[in-house]
Amino acid sequence: MKTGKTGMLGIVVPDITNPYFGELVEQLERSATEYGHSLVVNLSHGLSDIERTRVEELSDRNVDAIFLSPAQNDAELGALTRQGKHIVILDHTSPIGDMKCVSTDFYQASYDIAAHLLGHGRRRAAMLFGDEAALSDQRVMGWTQAHRDLGLPAGPVYQSDFTREGAYQITVNLLTRPAQERPDAIFAASDLEALGALRAIHEAGLRVPEDIALISFDGTAETLYTWPQLTTMKQDTMQIARCAIDAALRPDTTPDVQLVPAKLIVRRSCGCR
């Protein structure tokens, strides 16, 4: 009571069943414990109104800071800043008001994925991405720029909702095209999307990577248990968590935006041996 601190931190994420968010929450909880704090976990289910309610509930509990993987747009997030809430935005690569942002370097990670696939000689690569805001996302921008730098038209981006089901259905539709029109490589913007795409490819009687190369994004443990094992761009959840805790508890000594490098883990699904 003398310090005005509760020793509690809050987090709001869209979906705890997504392995990436599960790993991130675990790493944040570990880092919070090192600083003598506990972590209160809430879900938004990807809905902005629920997210706002959860933020209000955490604020009413006087948590010392809130981590937010946002469903709200930048304007809505800016309103939270004006309300004086101490929020650290996760998975967001540009500053919003007075809030700190911590994210994987999405642009560079996607650029490297595209360059890797194109380096294998793939020329009909497609990207599976989560939502309709795709064109302004740094992952899509990195994907597009890598094609441009190699003098190639950017591979199309398909909305697949960051889910197994969405990616599965999109891939099924793509594979009904004539062989010369269907993709020869797919970049799935999450491990869950890669799982859906992989099932659709197998069901179509096609081979990975011989017929279609496949790379995922996130690098969760799920990628170790597919066949073939997935080449993946691994997000460093441990470092993201440490940067986020520093931004929450030592805001005066941390930059407004911290971008954490990802690492390409090369396995068989991209065509490397």
Side-chain angles (χ1 to χ4, degrees), residues 4 8 22 24 31 37 39 52 63 82 89-90 110 131-132 136 143 222 242 270:
M8 291 192 301
L24 180 60
S31 294
H37 283 66
L39 184 68
R52 283 190 292 272
V63 297
R82 292 189 290 274
I89 303 296
L90 304 172
S110 288
D131 57 42
E132 59 190 8
S136 62
W143 168 261
E222 302 296 314
R242 288 173 176 169
C270 64

Side-chain angles (χ1 to χ4, degrees), residues 48-218:
S48 58
D49 56 341
I50 294 178
E51 183 174 273
R52 283 190 292 272
T53 298
R54 298 294 174 258
V55 169
E56 290 297 332
E57 291 170 348
L58 289 169
S59 296
D60 290 343
R61 297 180 67 173
N62 295 315
V63 297
D64 297 334
I66 299 171
F67 304 107
L68 192 62
S69 184
Q72 300 174 74
N73 60 38
D74 286 6
E76 292 170 323
L77 292 171
L80 296 178
T81 299
R82 292 189 290 274
Q83 295 170 21
K85 294 177 171 57
H86 184 21
I87 295 175
V88 176
I89 303 296
L90 304 172
D91 304 323
H92 200 288
T93 58
S94 58
I96 303 174
D98 295 329
M99 291 184 282
K100 304 286 187 177
C101 295
V102 179
S103 174
T104 292
D105 187 345
F106 289 139
Y107 179 92
Q108 189 62 53
S110 288
Y111 186 103
D112 291 346
I113 287 172
H116 189 83
L117 287 172
L118 297 172
H120 279 294
R122 309 288 173 158
R123 291 297 180 266
R124 299 190 310 278
M127 180 179 182
L128 306 182
F129 190 78
D131 57 42
E132 59 190 8
L135 294 180
S136 62
D137 188 273
Q138 290 292 305
R139 283 162 286 197
V140 176
M141 294 175 69
W143 168 261
T144 301
Q145 190 60 49
H147 283 80
R148 287 176 179 165
D149 288 351
L150 290 170
L152 298 169
V157 178
Y158 298 95
Q159 181 181 344
S160 49
D161 300 323
F162 289 121
T163 65
R164 302 176 187 89
E165 297 84 357
Y168 170 78
Q169 193 56 59
I170 287 292
T171 307
V172 166
N173 294 340
L174 290 174
L175 298 184
T176 62
R177 299 177 178 180
Q180 67 273 17
E181 297 179 13
R182 68 189 181 211
D184 61 2
I186 291 177
F187 164 32
S190 71
D191 290 344
L192 291 184
E193 289 166 289
L195 295 177
L198 188 59
R199 174 183 166 183
I201 294 168
H202 285 322
E203 288 182 351
L206 298 172
R207 300 165 300 164
V208 176
E210 291 84 357
D211 300 312
I212 301 178
L214 180 61
I215 295 182
S216 72
F217 195 97
D218 283 340

